[in-house]
Amino acid sequence: MRVRFAPSPTGYLHIGNARTALFNWLFARKMGGTFILRIEDTDLARSTDEYAEGILSDLAWLKLAWNEGPDIGGDRGPYKQSLRQKIYDKYLDELKGKGLAYPCFCQPDELEARRKAAMEKGTAPRYDNRCRALTQKEIAQKAAQGVKPSWRFKVPERTIVVDDVIRGKVEFDTRQLGDFVIMKSDGVPTFHFAVSVDDTLMEITHVIRGEDHLSNTPRHILLFESLGFTPPRFAHLPMILGPDGERLSKRHGAASVSEFRKLGYLPEALNNYLALLGWAPEGDKEILSMDELVAQFSLEKVNRSASTFDYAKLKWVSENYIRNEDLGRIALLALPYLREAGLIEGELTEEEMERVRSVVKLVRPYLACMADVAEHARPLLAETAAASAGDLASISGAAQLLQLLAVDLEKVADIRDVDWKKFFGDLAKASGLKGKALYRPIRIAITGQEHGPELLDVIPVLGKERCIARVRDAILKITEKI
RNA sequence: GACCCCAUCGUCUAGCCCGGUCCAGGACAUCGCCCUUUCACGGCGACGACGCGGGUUCAAAUCCCGCUGGGGUCGCCA
């Protein structure tokens, strides 16, 4: 079995396309098939190499490895449509020879005007096939004037049945279709034409794509058959909508893989969430590894109805991964964000890295994505606590308490080897404070925050010197205030 | 507008194909309680849905028809 993901490099990898890529990949892996990547850059005006590279990069980041593609080649290449021009020319000639393609001299502005007029009149805004009736003489005339024609496919009147893996048999009456352009006037094939030729030549067995292509499929089937090709199987995936029911776009928030990538979502988390859109695993377990996804995946079980992208649920999936993934890996992923926030600098020594790990260990339960790490790690990594002395000054006895604490901390030999229960028990006795009255001022002095990870865990991570410094600093601020 | 697809809690979904086991199960979100020196995590619980109308049937979320609603296509974009 051979499937393909065929993005056009006219933008970043959209979340909907990423889901399509994922389902193709899952299907290929599940069936022991081949996953092919093909770049559809027939839109010369909008396609760029930068976008193509970005898409490849994002797919690689998602760990959706392809077996054949523009970068790695393969037996059925090239895998970039702009490199396949000769092939399309050849098949256009074939259609011309069969009398199934004819030149159209209508200009874009004319077509646009007619389309608009038809819309206003309430009739179908499709091409009226007028150039089909052109005589050889007229054609020669136009050509002599130097008008470059586009080439349209002569659509026969008949019924076409798309036997969709997900939707079952869907019937179309081709009389709804106008003769459509297969080769643009600049000599570049349109999507419909290139796709049909390439899917055949690349021996694609299953075309898994978005539902927006379902209505295009009869065109493709027509082309396949006219060229003497056997159409592949089709599976049209439901759309992904934004919270307002419109197609998901930037308006709704992050809508491209690169955005989630920048925010520090784990690729597995994004895949896991995407897999849950339009498909459901058996049983109650929703956090699934890529392997588990592959093991459970089935095209037949894909939903027919569109789903709404739920940022809240993605967040939940992401949190799960951040909390449960290997700590070393999470710490590594935290590095760029910590660096950007100025909390670490340069290459880290093993000792510094160890410290980052222990900090990340404490703050990971708070993270929805890795970009959140700086905010939570700051109190634990920054030189000073940035304590709000105002808060402490209003707590009676805070200065005395901190004084006692500083003295006790000084006496500590190894901060990683302290019986904190006893330590704070003694402090409670000495200060006459307990519970919240005891811990709150200490937390504020040491972390500058009202909330955060277990204080008893924070202190050893911070280290003796830093704790003492922060406590003394807090005392100073209080006394100055008074 | 024409054609095509779709329709279960606010959201993602299970169930629908092979009607009774479903006064509809799970997850996210929300709310509450518990755990706890705080917040977060975690545990427990609550709230909450078969779009509407007709059929068929002893029986319909499940089958059929219509309506309504949403989405898609109708490009020399893909």
Side-chain angles (χ1 to χ4, degrees):
Chain A
M1 295 197 168
R2 292 169 61 84
V3 298
R4 48 53 161 200
F5 174 60
S8 68
T10 54
Y12 300 107
L13 181 61
H14 182 88
I15 238 26
N17 288 139
R19 202 270 308 256
T20 299
L22 173 65
F23 281 26
N24 270 284
W25 183 87
L26 287 172
F27 180 74
R29 291 294 302 272
K30 171 78 179 193
M31 309 301 290
T34 306
F35 177 53
I36 296 149
L37 178 61
R38 180 175 73 222
I39 297 295
E40 307 215 323
D41 57 347
T42 53
D43 183 343
L44 267 25
R46 292 192 300 148
S47 297
T48 72
D49 287 344
E50 286 69 42
Y51 283 136
E53 279 160 28
I55 289 168
L56 258 61
S57 162
D58 285 340
L59 284 172
W61 176 75
L62 284 169
K63 299 188 173 77
L64 303 182
W66 48 97
N67 306 299
E68 296 171 24
D71 54 339
I72 55 173
D75 294 341
R76 306 285 161 197
Y79 296 88
K80 196 177 174 191
Q81 292 184 328
S82 54
L83 267 24
R84 301 172 63 79
Q85 187 60 43
K86 277 186 194 138
I87 300 172
Y88 308 125
D89 290 341
K90 180 186 149 214
Y91 284 102
L92 176 66
D93 283 343
E94 192 176 322
L95 287 181
K96 285 185 203 171
K98 288 179 177 171
L100 293 173
Y102 64 86
C104 169
F105 294 92
C106 298
Q107 295 304 298
D109 52 332
E110 296 169 3
L111 293 167
E112 184 54 42
R114 280 181 229 154
R115 217 175 352 256
K116 243 180 100 184
M119 287 279 223
E120 274 159 21
K121 242 174 69 189
T123 55
R126 78 172 99 85
Y127 182 61
D128 58 11
N129 299 359
R130 64 173 65 189
C131 288
R132 206 199 259 212
L134 253 34
T135 62
Q136 286 303 341
K137 202 175 149 190
E138 288 170 311
I139 291 172
Q141 234 166 40
K142 292 275 189 186
Q145 286 167 22
V147 183
K148 284 263 179 239
S150 62
W151 288 82
R152 288 185 185 267
F153 178 76
K154 202 178 281 182
V155 176
E157 288 192 8
R158 53 174 281 207
T159 297
I160 295 200
V161 179
V162 178
D163 189 6
D164 192 277
V165 177
I166 295 167
R167 280 149 224 282
K169 288 186 165 63
V170 183
E171 284 195 13
F172 292 89
D173 183 342
T174 62
R175 278 171 297 193
Q176 295 294 326
L177 269 38
D179 289 347
F180 54 94
V181 173
I182 52 179
M183 190 72 87
K184 301 179 240 180
S185 55
D186 61 0
V188 176
T190 60
F191 157 74
H192 302 301
F193 192 49
V195 138
S196 306
V197 169
D198 288 350
D199 282 343
T200 298
L201 265 30
M202 293 181 183
E203 297 181 88
I204 303 303
T205 59
H206 298 253
V207 170
I208 304 169
R209 67 209 329 183
E211 197 202 322
D212 46 343
H213 287 304
L214 181 56
S215 302
N216 288 149
T217 307
R219 276 180 255 270
H220 302 163
I221 290 181
L222 242 22
L223 253 15
F224 279 115
E225 294 183 351
S226 300
L227 258 8
F229 301 152
T230 306
R233 292 280 282 147
F234 291 97
H236 287 95
L237 268 21
M239 302 271 89
I240 297 178
L241 310 175
D244 58 356
E246 299 277 315
R247 236 159 140 153
L248 185 68
S249 75
K250 310 111 224 122
R251 284 189 302 108
H252 306 292
S256 67
V257 169
S258 57
E259 288 171 273
F260 290 105
R261 190 177 168 182
K262 280 194 198 91
L263 287 168
Y265 283 84
L266 306 206
E268 300 93 323
L270 196 53
N271 280 327
N272 194 154
Y273 174 67
L274 252 21
L276 263 18
L277 244 32
W279 175 84
E282 274 176 59
D284 293 342
K285 198 179 163 218
E286 295 194 328
I287 301 296
L288 300 164
S289 70
M290 298 283 270
D291 285 343
E292 290 170 314
L293 250 22
V294 168
Q296 285 216 42
F297 189 76
S298 137
L299 254 196
E300 285 75 18
K301 273 184 61 192
V302 173
N303 262 175
R304 282 177 293 272
S305 50
S307 41
T308 306
F309 191 88
D310 185 355
Y311 290 92
K313 184 143 183 179
L314 166 64
K315 180 169 174 260
W316 173 77
V317 172
S318 176
E319 287 166 343
N320 267 278
Y321 277 86
I322 291 173
R323 283 197 292 271
N324 300 123
E325 267 299 306
D326 173 69
L327 177 62
R329 180 181 173 210
I330 298 298
L332 243 30
L333 291 173
L335 260 26
Y337 300 96
L338 298 177
R339 204 164 268 139
E340 193 187 356
L343 293 170
I344 56 174
E345 276 173 9
E347 283 305 302
L348 300 190
T349 62
E350 182 43 41
E351 194 185 345
E352 288 169 321
M353 192 59 219
E354 186 49 46
R355 183 145 169 267
V356 167
R357 270 193 290 271
S358 52
V359 167
V360 169
K361 185 180 179 187
L362 293 186
V363 303
R364 79 208 286 209
Y366 296 84
L367 312 179
C369 56
M370 294 315 296
D372 292 345
V373 75
E375 171 197 349
H376 289 95
R378 177 165 282 112
L380 303 185
L381 281 175
E383 273 315 308
T384 58
S388 39
D391 287 342
L392 284 170
S394 63
I395 302 170
S396 63
Q400 296 93 306
L401 168 65
L402 294 176
Q403 204 64 258
L404 288 170
L405 174 64
V407 171
D408 285 353
L409 278 174
E410 293 283 9
K411 288 184 216 153
V412 168
D414 184 351
I415 198 145
R416 281 163 303 190
D417 185 30
V418 175
D419 182 350
W420 294 107
K421 273 242 153 58
K422 182 174 183 303
F423 182 96
F424 279 100
D426 292 346
L427 187 59
K429 253 177 252 163
S431 64
L433 297 170
K434 60 180 180 179
K436 196 175 174 179
L438 174 71
Y439 288 100
R440 185 164 169 265
I442 296 174
R443 171 182 294 284
I444 294 172
I446 289 183
T447 69
Q449 311 278 318
E450 288 270 6
H451 307 299
E454 285 290 336
L455 196 50
L456 270 42
D457 294 327
V458 167
I459 291 172
V461 166
L462 224 34
K464 178 177 169 178
E465 300 312 321
R466 247 185 253 246
C467 283
I468 292 171
R470 288 182 180 194
V471 168
R472 294 217 180 283
D473 188 46
I475 295 168
L476 214 64
K477 281 184 180 157
I478 296 170
T479 44
E480 277 172 1
K481 220 42 177 211
I482 298 164

